[in-house]
Amino acid sequence: MRRVDGGEPNAGRGDEPDGGERGLAGRGWVMMPSESRTVANRVVAYLVFLCWHGLVIVAYLAVLDRQSSLRGPSYGNSPWEDMVILGVYSAPVFLGTLVAGLFWLWSLLAGDRIRSAVALGTVATSPTFLLVAMATLVHLW
């Protein structure tokens, strides 16, 4: 906070007879936009974005670990082998969604439409969510 008029904190509260005529200069303390809050908002948005991607990787590894004990038929791949193949083929696409999400997050942060850092990071992760949904449908099919 800083003083607009440089005067005393109680001067120009607006309850004096000429308080309304002075405009902004006589109103006392005014909150100025904080650059550190904007930087913190950006950092939180990027952290949320990276945490969502980390959660997708951890979920894949958990499913892969769960599939390791299952044995498939002797003539085909086991469920674990199917999951490994899915991971190998979807890794470049996952990297692409990561890069696309970073560019999208950068463009969302440049705009002023969404103020919540958590919402920004989550919205930017939507290409990865779509990839997970498609991989799940392919795997279940």
Side-chain angles (χ1 to χ4, degrees), residues 86-120:
L86 178 71
V88 167
Y89 285 119
S90 64
V93 179
F94 181 73
L95 183 62
T97 61
L98 179 75
V99 171
L102 283 171
F103 281 121
W104 195 9
L105 182 58
W106 176 72
S107 68
L108 286 172
L109 285 171
D112 231 8
R113 303 203 106 187
I114 303 174
R115 297 231 181 245
S116 171
V118 174
L120 283 170

Side-chain angles (χ1 to χ4, degrees), residues 7-122:
E8 295 295 319
N10 291 332
R13 289 187 313 226
D15 56 352
E16 294 106 16
D18 63 343
E21 298 173 11
R22 285 190 266 171
L24 184 63
R27 299 227 176 161
W29 296 96
V30 176
M31 290 293 292
M32 300 304 287
S34 172
E35 245 345 275
S36 64
R37 185 170 56 188
T38 304
V39 170
N41 202 16
R42 289 175 187 265
V43 168
V44 169
Y46 281 110
L47 282 176
V48 167
F49 175 77
L50 292 175
C51 284
W52 276 117
H53 280 82
L55 183 65
V56 168
I57 293 170
V58 167
Y60 171 76
L61 292 175
V63 169
L64 188 64
D65 182 53
R66 188 144 177 102
Q67 296 287 338
S68 67
S69 63
L70 298 176
R71 298 286 177 229
S74 61
Y75 57 86
N77 293 337
S78 70
W80 183 83
E81 290 169 337
D82 287 339
M83 284 296 294
V84 169
I85 291 169
L86 178 71
V88 167
Y89 285 119
S90 64
V93 179
F94 181 73
L95 183 62
T97 61
L98 179 75
V99 171
L102 283 171
F103 281 121
W104 195 9
L105 182 58
W106 176 72
S107 68
L108 286 172
L109 285 171
D112 231 8
R113 303 203 106 187
I114 303 174
R115 297 231 181 245
S116 171
V118 174
L120 283 170
T122 304

